[in-house]
Structure formats: C-alpha cells, structure tokens
Amino acid sequence: MPDRTTVSLVGSTGSIGTQAIDVIEAEPDRYEVTALGAARSVQLLARQAHRLRPARVALADPSGAAELARLVPPGTEVLAGDGALEAISVDADVVLNAVVGFAGLPVTLAALRAGRRLALANKESLIAGGPVVQAARATPGAEIVPVDSEHCAVHQCLRCILDESGIGSLPNSPLSPLRRVVLTASGGPFRGRSRAELAEVTVADALAHPTWSMGPKITIDSSTLMNKGLEVIEAHELFGVGYDDIDVVVHPQSVVHSMVETSDGATIAQLSMPDMRLPIGYALAYPGRLSTPFGAIEWSGLSRLEFEQPDREAFPCLDLAYRAGRDGGSAPACLNGANEVAVDAFLQGRIRWVDIPDVIAEALDVHVPTAPGTVADVLDADRSGRDLALAAVGRR
Ligand code: MG
C-alpha cells in the first residue's frame, strides 16, 4: 500500500470533525488519522479513538484527562490542558482545524508555523488573527485550504483563472483576471422578514436553519448574517481581495456555493448539494480530488436556483463586518469577540435576537483599532471586544 496521508483532526467531536471522520472512513487506503483532539467531549473522543486508532489524543480541558486515559485503547498517548491541541497540530501532513470560535487561533498558528497544510474550518482564527496568521502563512510548506463551503468554492473557481501560487495573493492591478468574488448566503431561517417582525424571535427559531445542519454558534451567526460578514473578512484574508471587490448575494437553495467574476465578464461558480463532506474532502485531497462523491447534484430533483439581494436593514451584522474589515488592524478581532459574547448572551436568554447587532455596534464604536503584531495583541483586541460587548449586554 502506498504511504497514506496523515491527518490530525483537531475539534474531532463537533459537526465538522465528525463529518471529516465520515470522509476518511470512505477512503481508508488514502488517509491515516494520527491524532484526534477535542475541547471537552471525553466519551465521544474515546469512541473515536477506538474506531480510528490514532497514536495521540488531546483534550483542551484538563479535568477530563484521567477519564480519557482510562477509556482510550492501550498505548494511546493522552495530552491534556494548555498546549495539548497545538501539540497535535504540528506533525501530520494535513491538520484540520475544526475548533469552534476564537479558541482555534493557537491551532491555526501551530500548524502554519510547522509548515503544514491547514484545512481550515475555523474562520475566526483567520478573521481575528489576520496579520499574525498572514506572517505564519509565509512559513515554507505552510498553506491554507479553506473548508468553509463558500471559500472552498472560491478556491476551486480561482484555480480556473490563476495558477496555484496566485490563489493567496491576487495581483492588485488592472491586469488582474479577477473582477470580483461573489459569496452566496442561504439567508438563514429569517430571510424575508422585516426588522420589526424579527423583534420577538426565539432561540429555537434561530437554531432552525433551512439548508445546513451545523453547530449552534454558526447557526445563530447564519441567522443574523454575521456568518456571511465574517466570511467577507475571511475571503479578504484568504485571497487578498479588496472589500470593494467582494459581494454577497442571497441564494436560498445553497447549491451555488460561491462565484468569481473575471475581468472579461464571465462568472465561474461551484455547485453541489449542501454537504460539508465535499469541502472537507477537498481540503484533505488537495491538490487532488476524493474518489467519493459527496453532494453530487441529482438534476432531476433540482428545479430552480434563486438569487436576491441581502436585506441590510433587517440584518445589520453584514455591514458591521464590512466596516470592521475596512477599519482593519484589530477591528475584526474586536468584532469577532463581541459577536461571540452577543451570541452567547442570546443563547442564554439575556438579550433579544435584534440586540445582537446593537451590542456589536456599541463595542466597535468604542474600540480604537490598533495594528496587532503579536498573538498577545490579538488576544488584547479580542478581550476588548468581549469586555465592551459584555458591558453592552449589561445595559440591556
Ligand atoms: Mg460558510
């Protein structure tokens, strides 16, 4: 058997992590999982260790370490506490970062600084850590292949018009073959509702996403369009495209995953049924392709593809993200931290859904953007966003 690609799954017990295991189990001759890591789901992590037999498992929360050590197969090395997830992010051919939220930043940095291919599902690390992550990306061998479905689509489309080396740094010149990137948004569960109609929506309403099944944080972000706003910043960071050249269009069927428009007016799009296993497999197999089709389109069952403009008044989070992205420096980290606090407060019933953008706007209004040069600077900006948002939640 030829050498298999080694994979470290960091955040293996969440929605993306469990789907990544599906992909790997579909092509067992091609991939070998050498490490698994999770925040705190001891039981599921141990079951995964029995299925995949990695050499190492890591748990961010040290309180579960003893239980995990009892449950994993004999000979499995157990790491826990500070630095455990980073430790398993440095020596596989591909590191999947599927950690939820800003907590994924150390994993992104560890993988890139070790010159690994990073299959990036954790958009927050790139958004908040922008300048610091870009520096780590310059490490020889390091590359990011996006798992976020829209960015995976843009990545595939850009390969049609640029050679591979141009994907991360688009030429900012009149000769650029790219005119703009168009990110698609499902519109979430509240598409078509006015701001007034949104005043009383519940947590259960917001968690009922029409096309994608995802974890709670991203599902709420999807309902506010903050997910799309964060993805605009993510596209800027990943591909070097200016904010004026990134547009968002609502596409309720979630079949067109995003598009690029070329300088001569052509649009190139990537289509598939909404199934995250395709972008996960794309990032694992890059620059090749999986042999297993996930999300292939059955055209007889697909009657229409619709597109409409986002309602920027009912969903102000989209423009808050453009604003933070254009402000640059520490502003995206502040936005992201404030959003995580606001989403938490909504899930706990402390604020209404319509308060989420107001809380974030109040944080951005007070935050003075700086130019983060180190991880400590990024942590400061994140903390500033969180503290300002907590104060704004307290005033509600
Ligand atoms: Mg996405």
Side-chain angles (χ1 to χ4, degrees):
M1 187 161 47
D3 277 353
R4 294 185 293 173
T5 300
T6 57
V7 183
S8 178
L9 299 180
V10 190
S12 66
T13 57
S15 170
I16 295 289
T18 53
Q19 293 182 82
I21 292 174
D22 267 7
V23 171
I24 286 166
E25 289 186 330
E27 304 209 356
D29 295 342
R30 190 158 175 176
Y31 299 107
E32 177 185 1
V33 174
T34 52
L36 293 170
R40 60 189 67 82
S41 302
V42 172
Q43 304 274 341
L44 179 52
L45 186 58
R47 285 200 298 279
Q48 291 178 338
H50 280 274
R51 263 165 77 181
L52 296 159
R53 299 297 175 125
R56 301 197 288 170
V57 295
L59 194 66
D61 175 1
S63 69
E67 186 189 3
L68 182 62
R70 272 199 309 280
L71 294 174
V72 293
T76 312
E77 187 186 348
V78 175
L79 295 86
D82 281 348
L85 296 182
E86 290 111 293
I88 62 162
S89 303
V90 295
D91 51 11
D93 297 325
V94 186
V95 177
L96 173 71
N97 183 356
V99 172
V100 176
F102 181 71
L105 179 62
V107 171
T108 287
L109 290 173
L112 292 176
R113 286 172 177 165
R116 298 296 158 187
R117 186 197 310 159
L118 176 65
L120 185 65
N122 176 275
K123 69 189 75 172
E124 291 87 347
S125 56
L126 188 58
I127 291 158
V132 177
V133 173
Q134 294 300 2
R137 212 175 164 187
T139 310
E143 66 180 336
I144 301 177
V145 183
V147 170
D148 209 349
S149 60
E150 295 78 0
H151 305 77
C152 178
V154 171
H155 198 270
Q156 293 175 68
C157 296
L158 287 175
R159 286 171 81 184
C160 301
I161 61 170
L162 299 167
D163 64 32
E164 309 277 329
S165 64
I167 290 181
S169 54
L170 287 164
N172 184 17
S173 80
L175 296 177
S176 168
L178 180 80
R179 180 155 176 263
R180 61 177 178 150
V181 165
V182 182
L183 300 178
T184 52
S186 70
F190 303 141
R191 182 176 64 88
R193 295 203 205 177
S194 68
R195 191 160 166 80
E197 289 167 335
L198 289 165
E200 302 306 328
V201 299
T202 65
V203 170
D205 296 335
L207 285 176
H209 196 278
T211 51
W212 289 103
S213 168
M214 307 174 288
K217 198 271 176 178
I218 187 171
T219 304
I220 300 300
D221 284 348
S222 215
S223 78
T224 62
L225 289 197
M226 179 56 92
N227 182 53
K228 207 53 50 183
L230 294 175
E231 288 179 352
V232 167
I233 302 174
E234 183 183 9
H236 169 82
E237 292 291 336
L238 276 173
F239 305 117
V241 191
Y243 286 99
D244 292 342
D245 300 327
I246 305 172
D247 285 341
V248 172
V249 64
V250 173
H251 165 51
Q253 289 82 15
S254 301
V255 169
V256 175
H257 295 295
S258 280
M259 306 176 256
V260 303
E261 192 178 303
T262 58
S263 52
D264 57 358
T267 293
I268 301 170
Q270 187 258 314
L271 284 70
S272 50
M273 299 311 287
D275 186 332
M276 285 306 296
R277 292 175 300 179
L278 190 156
I280 293 165
Y282 176 83
L284 293 179
Y286 179 82
R289 289 272 179 178
L290 281 193
S291 309
T292 315
F294 290 108
I297 295 174
E298 186 57 65
W299 289 98
S300 60
L302 190 66
S303 57
R304 74 177 73 159
L305 299 174
E306 295 163 303
F307 301 91
E308 63 193 41
Q309 288 304 300
D311 180 344
R312 299 181 117 93
E313 192 192 336
F315 302 93
C317 284
L318 181 58
D319 282 337
L320 288 174
Y322 269 98
R323 168 184 161 191
R326 287 190 167 107
D327 285 351
S330 60
C334 169
L335 171 90
N336 183 65
N339 179 56
E340 290 191 14
V341 165
V343 169
D344 252 4
F346 169 66
L347 287 170
Q348 292 165 19
R350 297 172 61 201
I351 60 172
R352 298 174 304 158
W353 184 89
V354 284
D355 294 328
I356 295 174
D358 294 346
V359 163
I360 298 163
E362 286 173 36
L364 283 179
D365 285 345
V366 180
H367 179 78
V368 180
T370 56
T374 64
V375 174
D377 297 341
V378 175
L379 290 169
D380 281 347
D382 171 74
R383 193 168 307 113
S384 156
R386 284 171 200 275
D387 289 347
L388 292 167
L390 275 174
V393 166
R395 291 192 289 274
R396 294 286 175 306

